[in-house]
Each structure stands twice: as structure tokens, then as C-alpha cells.
Amino acid sequence: MEKIYSLLIFTGFIIFLVYLFKRINTKNTWRKPIKPFPASWRKTLYENVIFYNNLETEEKKRFENKVQEFLINITISGVETEVNEYDRVLVAASAIIPIFAFPNWQYFNLKEVLLYPGLFNEQFGTNGEKRSIAGMVGTGYMEGKMILSKQALHHGFRNESDKKNTAIHEFVHLIDKADGNIDGIPSLLLEKQYTIPWLDLIQKKIEEIYEGESDINPYGATNKIEFFAVISEYFFERPKLLQQKHPKLYKLLEGIFDQKMAKKLKKTSSSEINRNDPCPCGSGKKYKKCCGK
């Protein structure tokens, strides 16, 4: 029995060392932007990402820098579909929104995002039956990869009131996984004294879903892992409603992500840039004479 126990401890130690090595190695190779942020990317953010539109000028610059940094370091590939600039910027925005308050955050556990045209099945097939998956964080031979439905990616930013954003959902799974264990407890962001209250509240909210007494997406009742991702979508899409209906839950999420979303989200819709509008870069010039040239 002692030998088995010692072997388990040794195995756990080796796994931890491998995890630590990967994280340190990624930090050493993580590249920073050196070129100006493309004006066309800024236009995509302005017209599609409500979170970005609610930031102050300096915060927008920081958001842009993180988007650019993400796209320098993470490959985005299409599977049976073309990937364009619009797709790439939306994927990056989805990654940055939940970690915006953490300027040094790096997705060391991600190498590539695979975009599928629509829903796929557990074998990653895009045709036939049982295609019900819109997003997935890879494990095993798919470790370091994320799969997203392009259709779901676009819908997440097009529908501004359904409390759903598949891409943010999957990036929250990666944040959860950053401590080496995907379990619904984001240990790198959640202070230890709040772990038990967090787990207790999750259990309570899952029971409310089962009893039909909740407006939270029923998929969140699958387990605490999915609950964390589902409620994070709610937090970033409809923070004021979440604060109103689930104040304790909102308060804990505010602490986890270090973002006061209910106060931040004043604008509730994105808007198209016209040529005579003020340029979103904050220069004070008209768009047509600045980034829109």
C-alpha cells in the first residue's frame, strides 16, 4: 500500500513538473506586438464587440494590444472553411474579454484555434447526425487546441441579449484549466477563502436549474465545470441582469475576473462607423481622415 501511495505522489510530482515546464517555456517564447494595430481590426472591434466599446480610450489601446499579442502567438486555422480577418479578430476578442484585468496573462495552454464551419460531433465530424457541439477545448492528442464553430463565433457577437457566447465559454474553460486541472474552480483567479462559498453557490444554483427556478442556461447544470463557463457568458453578456437576479453569484464573478461589468457595460449595442464619425482610435479626427483613409 505504501508503494502505491509513493508511486501516486511521484506521478503527481512529475505531472506538475511537466505542467510547470510548459508554462515557463511558453512565457519565454511569448512574443509582443511591435507593429501598429491595424485600422481594419479596430473597425471590426468597434462594430462588433460591445465590451470594447465600453472601454475608455487608454483601455481600448490596451485591449487592442492584447488582441494583437494573442494573434501573434496563437494560430487560427480553418477546417473546411476559410478564416478571414473578421474571424481572427473575434476569436482574439473572445480570448481577451475574460482576462482583460490581468495584463500579464498568457494562454500558455493554447497553441491553435480550429474554426469549423458549423456544429460538429464528438469525432470532430462536420457531416451526418449527432452534430451538436459548437466549441471544445482539446485533450489528449488534441491538447493545446480549441475547436470553435464559426457560425457560433459570429452569433455570439451578433446576439447581444441571449446571455450566450460560445467562444468566451471555451476560453473560460482554458482559464479554468490554467491551474492544471479543469474543475470549475479557477484557482489562479479565485482567492482560497472564496473556494468553499463558490462551490456551495454553484451547487445551489445547479439545483435551482433542475427545479426549473432559474434563468441560467440549463447546460450549466451539467456539472460545475460547465456551470462556471455558462455563468461567465452571462456575466459578460448581461451583467446588470445577473447582478439583479443572482447578486451573490455576480459578486463572486466580479472578484474572479476583477471586472465590475455591471458598471462598465453602459453601451448595450455595437455600432457601424460612418466616414464622418469621430475615429474610434481617439485621435479627435473624423474617421475618413484618420484610420478610415
Side-chain angles (χ1 to χ4, degrees):
M1 191 69 181
E2 289 183 3
K3 289 184 178 180
I4 295 175
Y5 183 68
S6 299
L7 182 61
L8 287 173
I9 293 177
F10 178 74
T11 302
F13 180 67
I14 293 298
I15 292 173
F16 174 75
L17 285 179
V18 172
Y19 160 78
L20 190 62
F21 173 77
K22 285 183 178 180
R23 183 167 186 177
I24 292 173
N25 187 54
T26 302
K27 284 186 175 182
N28 291 336
T29 59
W30 193 262
R31 293 169 293 167
K32 299 289 185 179
I34 56 175
K35 296 181 179 180
F37 192 77
S40 58
W41 293 13
R42 184 175 294 116
K43 186 173 186 291
T44 296
L45 290 176
Y46 185 82
E47 293 183 342
N48 298 277
V49 183
I50 296 174
F51 182 94
Y52 172 83
N53 282 313
N54 279 279
L55 299 176
E56 300 296 332
T57 301
E58 289 304 313
E59 290 178 319
K60 285 180 179 177
K61 291 179 181 178
R62 182 156 57 88
F63 190 91
E64 292 172 0
N65 183 265
K66 294 300 290 183
V67 163
Q68 194 171 12
E69 182 182 300
F70 179 89
L71 291 175
I72 289 172
N73 290 280
I74 307 299
T75 301
I76 301 177
S77 308
V79 178
E80 299 179 12
T81 188
E82 295 292 325
V83 176
N84 58 31
E85 180 182 281
Y86 175 77
D87 302 322
R88 287 166 50 79
V89 172
L90 289 190
V91 170
S94 306
I96 303 310
I97 287 170
I99 55 87
F100 183 64
F102 309 103
N104 296 319
W105 184 277
Q106 298 170 358
Y107 281 102
F108 63 89
N109 52 0
L110 181 66
K111 300 296 182 184
E112 184 177 18
V113 176
L114 301 175
L115 278 187
Y116 279 41
L119 300 178
F120 52 94
N121 59 33
E122 292 183 355
Q123 288 72 45
F124 314 116
T126 57
N127 297 305
E129 300 179 350
K130 297 182 179 179
R131 291 182 297 110
S132 60
I133 304 173
M136 177 185 293
V137 171
T139 58
Y141 76 94
M142 291 289 285
E143 186 70 34
K145 297 182 186 294
M146 175 189 289
I147 306 174
L148 286 174
S149 156
K150 187 199 286 194
Q151 185 180 35
L153 170 69
H154 293 178
H155 178 80
F157 288 96
R158 193 175 298 125
N159 190 315
E160 301 159 350
S161 62
D162 65 350
K163 301 172 286 188
K164 296 177 183 178
N165 187 304
T166 298
I168 288 178
H169 179 111
E170 297 305 324
F171 278 105
V172 168
H173 278 323
L174 275 184
I175 293 167
D176 185 7
K177 192 178 181 180
D179 58 7
N181 189 24
I182 184 166
D183 54 7
I185 307 171
S187 299
L188 296 184
L189 305 184
L190 183 65
E191 294 182 24
K192 289 184 178 179
Q193 67 265 35
Y194 296 119
T195 301
I196 299 301
W198 171 247
L199 290 174
D200 289 344
L201 192 54
I202 285 179
Q203 187 58 43
K204 178 184 176 183
K205 294 300 180 180
I206 286 178
E207 289 174 3
E208 289 177 2
I209 293 174
Y210 276 122
E211 292 167 2
E213 299 175 353
S214 178
D215 68 326
I216 297 172
N217 184 348
Y219 187 62
T222 305
N223 52 46
K224 60 181 182 292
I225 297 170
E226 294 301 340
F227 183 87
F228 176 42
V230 163
I231 204 62
S232 296
E233 294 177 77
Y234 195 157
F235 177 74
F236 288 108
E237 287 252 316
R238 299 291 302 279
K240 292 180 181 178
L241 184 63
L242 180 65
Q243 185 182 44
Q244 176 188 337
K245 290 182 173 291
H246 311 275
K248 291 182 179 179
L249 194 52
Y250 172 84
K251 192 67 178 177
L252 279 171
L253 288 165
E254 198 177 63
I256 289 172
F257 294 111
D258 195 22
Q259 299 192 56
K260 298 183 183 298
M261 286 301 300
K263 291 183 179 179
K264 178 181 290 183
L265 213 65
K266 296 175 182 177
K267 297 178 182 177
T268 57
S269 63
S270 52
S271 55
E272 185 177 352
I273 306 177
N274 295 313
R275 288 183 55 75
N276 288 315
D277 288 342
C279 189
C281 73
S283 66
K285 300 178 181 178
K286 289 185 177 181
Y287 177 68
K288 66 182 181 182
K289 294 186 176 180
C290 190
C291 294
K293 285 183 178 180

